[in-house]
Amino acid sequence: MIQIYFLSILTTLLSGLVLSADHYSTKFPGFIAVRDFFKAKPGLRVSIGVITFLTGFLKLLTVTKGDVPVVGDLL
């Protein structure tokens, strides 16, 4: 179940990119294209948020072998 950690990192980075695109587009001109891409597709932003939420929730439920159930991910 190590893949869930990779998926968690990937979706968190993608969600962070979506949320910070407005802020970074004023500082870095390269982010203007990213901001415009996500503003043009509001359904994509919602689906990224839902996928990130589901991945985080499933990450709380999964336990790696030899780890304390749930407590490790909550802390």
Side-chain angles (χ1 to χ4, degrees), residues 1-14 51-52 54-56 58-59:
M1 249 0 232
I2 302 299
Q3 295 89 356
I4 194 76
Y5 290 104
F6 174 72
L7 192 59
S8 173
I9 291 169
L10 186 68
T11 57
T12 303
L13 286 175
L14 192 57
I51 290 171
T52 302
L54 289 175
T55 304
L58 289 175
K59 187 175 169 244

Side-chain angles (χ1 to χ4, degrees), residues 55-75:
T55 304
F57 185 72
L58 289 175
K59 187 175 169 244
L60 283 175
L61 295 178
T62 59
V63 179
T64 55
K65 188 179 277 187
D67 196 12
V68 178
V70 179
V71 175
D73 285 338
L74 285 177
L75 296 177

